[in-house]
């Protein structure tokens, strides 16, 4: 009797086991599928950005035989610096292009020919002569930056089979560029301009330096405000504040603030800091204040969690040898909670770095060519620069948009890596 | 019971000081009747006590954890507190250096004195008190800092050392007295949390004695340790009583028998019986005590 009961139980379990294992396997497959889908989307996104953006890191240069004759420049025998500065270097470039392609005659044809070289060439040559006035009266081969459209053809981004009317690089230009390339007069170089200049109307001259500085100043302001205030608030709420209705209310409101759409903070910044306190528009100062309001809840919440996670036995140990509450917190609790606090703060900063909407509200969307020198200078930030470029129709800005996204993501990854590193480092101890 | 908390905030401080004389509240009288149901057997009071507790009641919110306990700790003696878990040993021990202050819902009534001075008086500084009445906890809890720093921390915040050399001396002496120095002298800069459990507990004892306390409270200091580490701590306690007054909570009756001169038996918040350790373990007077030490209970 008991034997048959035994075996029937075994059978029942065996029957159900099969089902249970199948269910588990199915569930695991759902999980894998979900992870895979996520990865595919991430991969597509990254691949798209990298493919579009990486050409922006190189620029083409064209070598021209430049005739620095005094008469062409319109200067005397031994010109002063001012004379050189106001000399007509554009004429020199144009002349050299005409020499290179003597067949070009018509007005519009010549104009197309001149469009091979960036307007930067003028300044390049002027700087050369200013540095070495002895060049006047000599011939010299000089590498000059190509115009964005010419560069885009040289990078192979132009589809020459398309009807001529539909592309910006015309057949004649294609022929000239092919000739130059055949003569070894074109060269691809690393695009340092992208990192060393501010925004520009010309794609080949546009860079992210102004936006990077703007982002840096803005984040500095954010960090200097949000970190100390956030950490102090967290310490007070967690360690000193009595538990009552008021602190409960504060806690709920902090949690709610973390969920407020960021544009609301932008509106607040516009109304309070710019219209009421009359702080400068478009400035990292206001941007930083607005972003710190946005980041504060994140920092407070993560810091409180980090402080709460510190073992109560550390409290007891410190109190037990006669440390005051303040000493206990600053000597023992904070050092242990610090990695968590830093991680939370860095993640908050990363959020702030990528934030666009509130900054649009306070006018950080202006066209900024000059690198800001401080927190009150008009500036823009990386994500806003991306937004601006994404809006520009020129081909050259498309790749710049993606390249700037790559830089922004690089910084975000760096910040998150720092957070992970800090956590790991302190955890080991 | 909830009315007790509501009972006039203004008379509470009065009640705290002098429970037995306060006869105004009906609830209070009811509680007193409840308390009169027991009387501590043995000799809770001693002459020239280092610390003495009189009519101590402790509440966690509405729940009473200690009922009218009066107990003295004599100078340079080791007093063991035993009893089933949850009977309030830790609670009572923690009233002696006001560690209960950390717990917001905890209320203490009655008189507790150190060298005849009330430690619950309103101008009593808890930092000062805890420097004089040190504590060693159930679970070894060294700071996540170096061994040196663990010991030096107390003297440093109290300003007991005036030079590096003096501090080194304090650290070395404390570690020696906790019989840990020889094991760790080459790794003073290593983290204290990297030591073995027994070493950690001795480090905690060194940390406690580094501030030269007069009384050391120990709450089941060996419950997380193996028998060998336990034996070392017990030896240590024996040495320490030359200089310090020690109150130790333990769940091990052998330990109580080995290290203490007097033993107090707690039961459900009441102090049932106190006496010389020898008497308690050989001729217990109360039925509950006997049940407990013969293993029929707890
Ligand atoms: N922080 C606290 N909050 C509420 N009740 C507590 C707290 N600590 C202890 N108690 C209660 O007080 C009683 C005595 O606990 P405790 O002193 O820790 O006992 P023991 O140390 O003898 O095991 C127990 O019933 C316990 O539930
Ligand atoms: Mg206990």
């Amino acid at each position: 009797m008991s034997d048959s009961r035994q075996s029937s139980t075994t059978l029942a379990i065996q029957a159900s086991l099969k089902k249970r294992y199948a269910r588990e396997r199915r569930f695991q497959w759902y999980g894998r599928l979900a992870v895979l889908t996520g990865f595919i989307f991430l991969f597509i996104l990254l691949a798209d950005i990298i493919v579009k953006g990486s050409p922006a890191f190189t620029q083409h240069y064209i070598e021209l035989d430049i005739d620095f004759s005094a008469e062409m420049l319109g200067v005397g025998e031994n010109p002063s610096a001012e004379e050189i500065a106001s000399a007509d270097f554009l004429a020199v470039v144009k002349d050299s292009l005409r020499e290179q392609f003597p067949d070009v005659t018509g007005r519009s044809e010549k104009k197309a020919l001149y469009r091979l070289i960036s307007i930067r060439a003028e300044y390049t040559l002027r700087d050369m002569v200013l540095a070495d006035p002895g060049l006047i009266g000599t011939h010299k081969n000089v590498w000059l930056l190509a115009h964005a459209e010419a560069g885009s053809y040289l990078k192979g981004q132009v589809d020459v089979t398309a009807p001529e009317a539909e592309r910006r690089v015309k057949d004649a230009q294609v022929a000239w560029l092919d000739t130059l390339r055949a003569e070894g007069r074109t060269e691809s170089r690393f695009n340092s301009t992208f990192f060393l200049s501010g925004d520009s109307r010309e794609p080949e001259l546009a860079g992210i330096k102004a936006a990077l500085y703007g982002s840096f100043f803005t984040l500095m302001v954010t960090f200097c405000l949000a970190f100390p205030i956030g950490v102090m608030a967290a310490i007070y709420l967690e360690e000193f504040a009595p538990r009552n209705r008021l602190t409960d209310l504060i806690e709920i409101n902090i949690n709610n603030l973390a969920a407020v759409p960021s544009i609301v903070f932008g509106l607040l910044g516009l109304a309070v800091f710019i219209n009421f306190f009359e702080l400068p528009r478009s400035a990292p100062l206001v941007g930083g204040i607005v972003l710190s309001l946005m980041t504060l809840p994140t920092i407070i919440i993560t810091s409180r969690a980090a402080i709460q996670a510190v073992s109560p036995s550390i409290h007891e140990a410190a109190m037990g040898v006669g440390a005051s509450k303040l000493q206990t917190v600053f000597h023992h609790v904070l050092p242990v909670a610090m990695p968590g606090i830093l991680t939370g703060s860095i993640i908050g900063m990363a959020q702030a770095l990528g934030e666009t909407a509130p900054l649009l509200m306070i006018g950080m969307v202006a066209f900024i060519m000059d690198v800001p020198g401080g927190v009150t200078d008009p500036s823009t930030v990386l994500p806003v620069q991306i937004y601006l470029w994404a809006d520009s129709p020129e081909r050259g800005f498309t790749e710049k948009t993606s390249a700037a996204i790559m830089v922004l993501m690089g910084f975000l990854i760096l910040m998150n890596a720092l957070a992970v590193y800090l956590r790991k480092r302190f955890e080991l101890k | 019971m909830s009315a007790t908390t509501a009972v006039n905030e203004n008379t509470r401080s009065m009640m705290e000081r002098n429970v037995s004389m306060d006869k105004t509240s009906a609830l209070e009288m009811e509680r007193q009747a409840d308390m009169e149901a027991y009387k501590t057997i043995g000799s809770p009071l001693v002459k020239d006590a280092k610390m003495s507790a009189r009519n101590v009641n402790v509440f966690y919110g509405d729940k009473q954890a200690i009922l009218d306990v009066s107990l003295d700790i004599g100078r340079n003696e080791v007093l063991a507190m035993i009893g089933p878990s949850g009977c309030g040993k830790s609670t009572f021990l923690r009233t002696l250096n006001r560690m209960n202050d950390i717990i917001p819902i905890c209320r203490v009534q009655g008189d507790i004195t150190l060298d005849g001075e009330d430690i619950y008086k309103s101008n009593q500084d808890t930092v000062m008190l805890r420097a004089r009445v040190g504590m060693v906890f159930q679970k070894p809890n060294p700071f996540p800092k170096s061994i040196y720093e663990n010991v030096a921390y107390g003297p440093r915040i109290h300003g007991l050392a005036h030079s590096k050399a003096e501090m080194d001396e304090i650290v070395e002496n404390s570690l020696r007295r906790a019989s840990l120095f020889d094991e760790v002298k080459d790794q003073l800069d290593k983290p204290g949390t990297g030591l073995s459990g027994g070493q950690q507990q001795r480090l905690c004892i060194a940390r406690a004695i580094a501030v030269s306390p007069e009384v050391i409270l120990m709450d089941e200091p060996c419950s997380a340790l193996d028998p060998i580490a336990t034996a070392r701590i017990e030896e240590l306690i024996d040495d320490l009583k030359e200089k310090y007054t020690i109150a130790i909570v333990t769940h091990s009756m052998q330990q109580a028998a080995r290290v203490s001169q007097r033993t107090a038996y707690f039961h459900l918040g009441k102090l049932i019986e106190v006496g010389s350790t020898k008497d308690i373990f050989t001729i217990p007077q109360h039925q509950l005590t006997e049940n407990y030490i013969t293993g029929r209970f707890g």
Side-chain angles (χ1 to χ4, degrees), chain B residues 191-211:
Chain B
T193 41
L195 297 173
S196 75
Q199 289 174 321
Q200 287 191 16
Q201 195 61 299
R202 273 180 280 149
L203 178 61
C204 291
I205 292 173
R207 178 177 69 191
I209 56 189
V211 290

Side-chain angles (χ1 to χ4, degrees), chain B residues 85-91 94 138 219-220 249:
Chain B
S85 39
C87 67
K89 305 178 297 288
S90 303
T91 302
R94 292 161 65 97
Q138 184 165 353
D219 191 352
E220 302 194 27
V249 170

Side-chain angles (χ1 to χ4, degrees), chain A residues 346-387:
Chain A
I346 290 171
I347 287 170
M349 287 295 119
Q351 274 175 6
L353 175 63
E355 199 52 66
T356 324
L359 300 183
L360 300 183
M361 300 305 301
I362 56 155
M364 288 188 86
V365 64
F367 174 72
I368 308 290
M369 292 175 69
D370 298 320
V371 173
V375 292
T376 51
D377 288 355
S379 40
T380 187
V381 293
L382 261 182
V384 174
Q385 185 70 73
I386 291 168
Y387 167 80

Side-chain angles (χ1 to χ4, degrees), chain A residues 86-146:
Chain A
S86 58
D88 190 0
F89 287 97
L90 196 57
V92 174
V93 177
K94 287 178 176 174
D95 173 65
S96 149
L97 277 165
R98 280 196 306 271
E99 296 268 298
Q100 186 73 33
F101 298 103
D103 310 341
V104 180
T105 47
R107 220 181 107 79
S108 64
E109 272 207 295
K110 280 186 187 165
K111 228 177 146 184
L113 179 63
Y114 301 153
R115 268 179 83 85
L116 293 185
I117 300 292
S118 164
I119 55 165
R120 157 88 68 80
E122 203 182 332
Y123 307 103
T124 316
L125 294 178
R126 190 185 62 195
D127 292 346
M128 276 175 70
V129 175
L130 276 174
D132 177 16
L135 278 173
I136 293 176
T138 63
H139 272 262
K140 192 172 188 307
N141 281 340
V142 181
W143 286 98
L144 294 172
L145 181 62

Side-chain angles (χ1 to χ4, degrees), chain A residues 11-150:
Chain A
L11 280 179
I13 293 178
Q14 243 159 15
S16 78
L17 264 189
K18 231 182 186 173
K19 249 192 203 160
R20 278 189 264 172
Y21 284 138
R23 211 172 289 158
E24 185 174 329
R25 264 196 305 276
R26 215 158 44 232
F27 182 78
Q28 287 202 6
W29 273 110
Y30 292 150
R32 283 183 200 134
L33 219 68
V35 172
L36 193 74
T37 320
F39 262 103
I40 289 176
F41 279 117
L42 185 69
F43 179 78
I44 293 176
L45 182 77
L46 285 181
D48 179 60
I49 289 170
I50 291 173
V51 166
K52 277 199 193 134
S54 44
F57 294 106
T58 57
Q59 258 180 335
H60 275 83
Y61 281 74
I62 294 174
E63 191 188 38
L64 289 179
D65 182 16
I66 302 289
D67 177 10
F68 291 100
S69 75
E71 122 193 53
M72 183 79 71
L73 289 169
V75 294
E77 269 308 295
N78 275 316
S80 64
E82 289 96 76
E83 252 185 294
I84 295 174
S86 58
D88 190 0
F89 287 97
L90 196 57
V92 174
V93 177
K94 287 178 176 174
D95 173 65
S96 149
L97 277 165
R98 280 196 306 271
E99 296 268 298
Q100 186 73 33
F101 298 103
D103 310 341
V104 180
T105 47
R107 220 181 107 79
S108 64
E109 272 207 295
K110 280 186 187 165
K111 228 177 146 184
L113 179 63
Y114 301 153
R115 268 179 83 85
L116 293 185
I117 300 292
S118 164
I119 55 165
R120 157 88 68 80
E122 203 182 332
Y123 307 103
T124 316
L125 294 178
R126 190 185 62 195
D127 292 346
M128 276 175 70
V129 175
L130 276 174
D132 177 16
L135 278 173
I136 293 176
T138 63
H139 272 262
K140 192 172 188 307
N141 281 340
V142 181
W143 286 98
L144 294 172
L145 181 62
H147 190 276
E149 287 160 13

Side-chain angles (χ1 to χ4, degrees), chain B residues 2 14 34 48 52 75 117 124 170 190 212 230 266:
Chain B
S2 72
M14 216 170 93
D34 206 26
D48 189 30
S52 48
R75 251 168 242 285
E117 264 187 71
Q124 173 67 51
I170 293 180
K190 296 269 165 55
S212 314
T230 301
F266 285 76

Side-chain angles (χ1 to χ4, degrees), chain B residues 14 29 33 83 136 173:
Chain B
M14 216 170 93
M29 265 152 62
V136 177
N173 282 339

